[in-house]
Amino acid sequence: MSGSFEHKIAVITGGGHGIGKAAAEAFSRQGAEVYILDRQSGDWFVGDVSEKETLERFAREIITRTGKIDFLINNAPPPMKGISDCSWEDFQKALTIGVTAPFYLTKLFASYFAPGACVINLSSSRDRMSQPQTESYSAAKGGIAALTHAMAVSLAGKARVNSISPGWIDTAGSRISGPDALQQPVGRVGKPEDIAEMILFLCSDKAGFINGENICIDGGMTKLMIYHDENGWSYTP
C-alpha cells in the first residue's frame, strides 16, 4: 500500500503512544497527513477527550486546516476500574472516554468526510471476555463495539465504520516471553504494529466491502478453550 494514502487526512485520538502511535507512524509512512489528539504533552493537539469543549476545539482546528477528513481513528483508552472501587464518577468517565467521545467526534466530523472515508474504533477482546474488577473498561469497550455497527448504518454513503478488538498488546516494548507468550496460540504477545496494519487495511480500498464489522486480533487467545489440567492449565478453587 506504499503511497496509497498520499493527500489523505488521518485523525487519531490517543495517538501519542501505543497502538495510536504505531497507527500514526504507519499512516505517515504511507503519505497521509496525520493529526493527533492526546492528553500527554507532545507535538500534537494536547487535550482530554472526555471534555466536550476539547473535542469541539480539536475538530474546529482540523477542519479549518484541512477542510476534510479521510480517516478517523478513535483510539483513546478508558480507565479500568472494578465494581469494588469504581465510583459513579469513575464509571461515567470511562464511558465518556470510551463511547461518548468517539460518538461525538465522529458527529463533529460527519459533514466533512471525504469520499471513501473510514472510521475505525478501537474496542478490545474484553468486549467478549473479562477478568475480575474490570467493569468500567469492559463496559466501554463493549459499548464502542455496538456503537460501530450503529454508526455504520447511519453513515452509509458517507463513511465505512469498523472496529478492532485487540487482545494482549505489549505497548511498552518489553519483549514478553515465557508462559505469558506461550499461552497465546501464536506463541507471542501482540505488538502495536499488528493492530496498525489492520487499521491501514480497513482504511484502504481493499477493504471496501467491510463495514460495521468488529475484528478481533488476539493471536487466537479468545478461541482457546480452557479446561482443568489441559494445555498446562489448572484451577485451584
Side-chain angles (χ1 to χ4, degrees), residues 70-85:
D70 293 285
F71 312 122
L72 172 59
I73 316 302
N74 290 307
N75 168 72
M80 183 185 293
K81 287 198 172 184
I83 197 166
S84 296
D85 63 353

Side-chain angles (χ1 to χ4, degrees), residues 135-148:
E135 280 76 12
S136 68
Y137 188 90
S138 297
K141 292 303 186 179
I144 192 75
L147 179 65
T148 293

Side-chain angles (χ1 to χ4, degrees), residues 181-189 218-220:
L182 296 175
Q183 69 181 325
Q184 319 268 344
V186 298
R188 68 173 176 87
V189 172
D218 69 342

Side-chain angles (χ1 to χ4, degrees), residues 86-150:
C86 185
S87 67
W88 171 280
E89 291 77 14
D90 292 334
F91 198 81
Q92 287 296 114
K93 180 122 182 186
L95 293 183
T96 298
I97 293 172
V99 182
T100 307
F103 164 78
Y104 193 55
L105 198 53
T106 304
K107 178 181 174 69
L108 291 171
F109 285 135
S111 298
Y112 300 91
F113 284 137
C118 295
V119 178
I120 307 297
N121 297 320
L122 269 294
S123 183
S124 167
S125 60
R126 293 173 186 269
D127 63 4
R128 68 203 67 193
M129 60 191 297
S130 293
Q131 290 176 295
Q133 303 300 322
T134 61
E135 280 76 12
S136 68
Y137 188 90
S138 297
K141 292 303 186 179
I144 192 75
L147 179 65
T148 293
H149 56 72

Side-chain angles (χ1 to χ4, degrees), residues 55-74:
L55 298 177
E56 291 171 342
R57 286 191 294 108
F58 177 64
R60 280 197 304 269
E61 181 170 322
I62 301 307
I63 292 165
T64 299
R65 288 189 185 186
T66 68
K68 68 158 188 169
I69 303 294
D70 293 285
F71 312 122
L72 172 59
I73 316 302
N74 290 307

